[in-house]
Amino acid sequence: PFTKKEIDTFWSLSSDKYYQMILILIYTGLRIEEFLQLKKEHIHFDEQYFDVVKSKTPDGIRKVPISKYILPFMKNWYESSEIDYLFHTEKQKRFKYSNYTVSYFTPIMEQFGLTQTPHCCRNTFISLLAESNISQTFNKLIVGHKGAMSLNEKVYTRIDMNILIDAVNSIYYPDFIKDDE
């Protein structure tokens, strides 16, 4: 996972939309393909969540809360997109895995001497949830690990989206940005 110092670096450069993409990955825990396939029609800004409708596993189909920290970034991408997809190239084409990772993600990592992959953003998010003492049930719901849930969790647990939003809003956020707000 990324260290807090590395996350702070991305926040310090978050006026750049490609650093915003990394932060969105870190603060949503999305798999890279879920991220790149996210369509505007599946985003519910008023309720502060989006739907993952296509995933690696059936358990990955889920509603994901949007942290207040990355909400402005997602709105910026939404407003700049002239296509169905949230994330797009300068020519308004959908990012493919290879062109995003080779042309954007990897060069940013190399610039800082980092070797992380997009999947490390997911690892970071799950670690940040754990550090914030977010319940394992919430963690599994947010990242799409329903298969790892107990029978009680699967059958009897219904969690209001506002509680999940509070959970993602409680994870690490740099103090130097809090001070600027």
Side-chain angles (χ1 to χ4, degrees), residues 24 45-46 70-80 86:
I24 293 168
F45 285 121
D46 289 342
I70 60 162
L71 186 63
F73 303 156
M74 292 188 72
K75 286 182 176 179
N76 289 341
W77 276 99
Y78 188 98
E79 291 167 6
S80 72
L86 181 66

Side-chain angles (χ1 to χ4, degrees), residues 72-172:
F73 303 156
M74 292 188 72
K75 286 182 176 179
N76 289 341
W77 276 99
Y78 188 98
E79 291 167 6
S80 72
S81 180
E82 298 169 10
I83 61 174
D84 292 339
Y85 294 90
L86 181 66
F87 301 107
H88 55 85
T89 66
E90 295 297 325
K91 295 182 179 180
Q92 294 292 324
K93 303 287 183 196
R94 179 174 86 85
F95 275 112
K96 302 288 184 178
Y97 176 83
S98 59
N99 81 322
Y100 172 70
T101 55
V102 171
S103 299
Y104 298 94
F105 191 90
T106 301
I108 288 173
M109 295 303 112
E110 289 172 349
Q111 176 184 348
F112 297 103
L114 302 173
T115 58
Q116 281 92 333
T117 65
H119 192 74
C120 295
C121 297
R122 183 171 169 82
N123 295 350
T124 303
F125 178 70
I126 293 168
S127 297
L128 292 173
L129 288 172
E131 285 178 20
S132 294
N133 295 315
I134 302 304
S135 86
Q136 283 296 309
T137 301
F138 294 2
N139 189 321
K140 294 170 195 173
L141 284 171
I142 295 169
V143 300
H145 284 165
K146 292 178 196 152
M149 294 174 77
S150 71
L151 182 62
N152 275 349
E153 289 173 312
K154 286 181 188 177
V155 175
Y156 299 109
T157 305
R158 300 290 178 265
I159 307 296
D160 182 82
M161 181 55 65
N162 290 323
I163 294 171
L164 297 179
I165 292 167
D166 288 345
V168 296
N169 285 341
S170 73
I171 66 175
Y172 174 76

Side-chain angles (χ1 to χ4, degrees), residues 23-52:
L23 290 165
I24 293 168
L25 278 164
I26 289 173
Y27 282 79
T28 60
L30 289 175
R31 295 175 178 96
I32 187 65
E33 285 300 330
E34 295 169 346
F35 175 76
L36 296 176
Q37 293 176 28
L38 186 57
K39 288 188 173 184
K40 295 184 334 185
E41 69 186 88
H42 299 130
I43 300 172
H44 310 280
F45 285 121
D46 289 342
E47 296 87 5
Q48 211 169 317
Y49 77 91
F50 58 86
D51 298 306
V52 174

